[in-house]
């Protein structure tokens, strides 16, 4: 049985909202795209019906801690904010693998680099170097506010040539594919080294990045220094109070506090200090 647009129009908004509330986030998105009655706001109403369903679900279920992490963008719809909430609640995984040294990915939260395995619980980026150059694994989860903790479990040999850190929301693989050549870590590119790759990364900047010039920042397991770059003319590697490296097996945790603008490091469950 199908409903014509005339019959839909005869039904009240409350009933239609109740019907749509049985859909998950993907179903709401599809409904809004395929049916104007649900996807477009009606005269005299601020929100479309799918946005109203999303607004109600967000308001009823979001916790205070989640709300701090999800500041609404000026141009963001209610369904977009609700999708962000759903994403925040899911286990993180590696969404983008770039490089030639990865083995088969047995689990979306695990990467293998030849003889080295890294298990990724909740994190934002990982770079690994072997003879064939750097390989990079990136999570697609975007952090916009609040506090976010990420922990990596690393199983390897005696030395760990691994960067763990945060990166702007960019399509790194697309940039590298457009500029063919040796795979490089996003921590190293600049206007003087691999300028085409650096320019491709900077070109993805939006107003949501804010005013900070730190676009990629990480902890280097080999000795523990902090590295950062603006993908242009500024980058650095510095020691910090509490710094320790990681040799062999162990865990490294990163706590990103976007309200305070800090990145703290934990080693095997022990807090080392504020790195950046």
């Amino acid at each position: 049985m199908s409903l014509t647009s005339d019959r839909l129009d005869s039904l009240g908004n409350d009933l239609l909202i109740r019907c749509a509330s049985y859909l998950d986030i993907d179903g709401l998105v599809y409904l809004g795209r395929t049916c104007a009655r649900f996807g477009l706001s009606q005269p005299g109403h601020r929100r479309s019906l799918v946005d109203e369903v999303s607004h109600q679900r967000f308001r009823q279920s979001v916790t205070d801690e989640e709300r701090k992490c999800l500041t609404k963008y000026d141009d963001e719809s209610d369904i977009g904010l609700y999708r962000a909430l759903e994403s925040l609640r899911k286990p993180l995984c590696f969404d983008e693998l770039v490089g030639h040294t990865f083995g088969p990915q047995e689990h979306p939260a695990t990467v293998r680099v030849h003889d080295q395995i890294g298990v990724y619980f909740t994190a934002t980026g990982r770079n690994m170097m072997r003879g064939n150059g750097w390989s990079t694994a990136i999570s697609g989860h975007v952090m916009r506010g609040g506090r976010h903790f990420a922990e990596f479990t690393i199983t390897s040999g005696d030395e760990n040539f691994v960067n763990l850190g945060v990166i702007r929301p960019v399509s790194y693989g697309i940039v590298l594919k457009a500029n063919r050549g040796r795979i490089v870590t996003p921590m190293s590119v600049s206007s003087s080294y691999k300028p085409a790759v650096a320019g491709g990364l900077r070109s993805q900047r939006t107003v949501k990045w804010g005013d900070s010039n730190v676009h990629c920042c990480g902890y280097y397991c080999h000795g523990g220094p902090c590295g950062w770059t603006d993908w242009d003319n500024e980058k650095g590697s510095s020691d910090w109070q509490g710094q320790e490296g990681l040799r062999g097996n162990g865990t490294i945790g990163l706590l990103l506090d976007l309200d305070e603008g800090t990145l703290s490091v934990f080693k095997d469950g022990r807090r080392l200090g504020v790195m950046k």
Side-chain angles (χ1 to χ4, degrees), residues 4 7 24 33 52 56 61 79 125 131 156 160 162 169 175 236 240 245 249 252:
T4 64
R7 298 187 68 178
D24 61 14
R33 289 175 176 174
E52 182 59 38
Q56 292 180 11
S61 66
I79 197 169
S156 70
N160 288 319
V162 179
V175 173
W240 47 279
N249 302 338
I252 293 295

Side-chain angles (χ1 to χ4, degrees), residues 34-73:
T34 57
C35 181
R37 182 69 176 86
F38 286 90
L40 298 178
S41 59
Q42 304 300 311
H45 296 275
R46 281 183 54 198
R47 301 182 179 92
S48 67
L49 295 184
V50 292
D51 270 331
E52 182 59 38
V53 173
S54 302
H55 174 71
Q56 292 180 11
R57 282 188 182 174
F58 183 90
R59 186 182 57 190
Q60 293 165 2
S61 66
V62 67
T63 66
D64 290 340
E65 194 64 29
E66 289 171 334
R67 191 183 297 275
K68 292 177 183 178
C69 297
L70 293 172
T71 303
K72 193 172 186 290
Y73 297 130

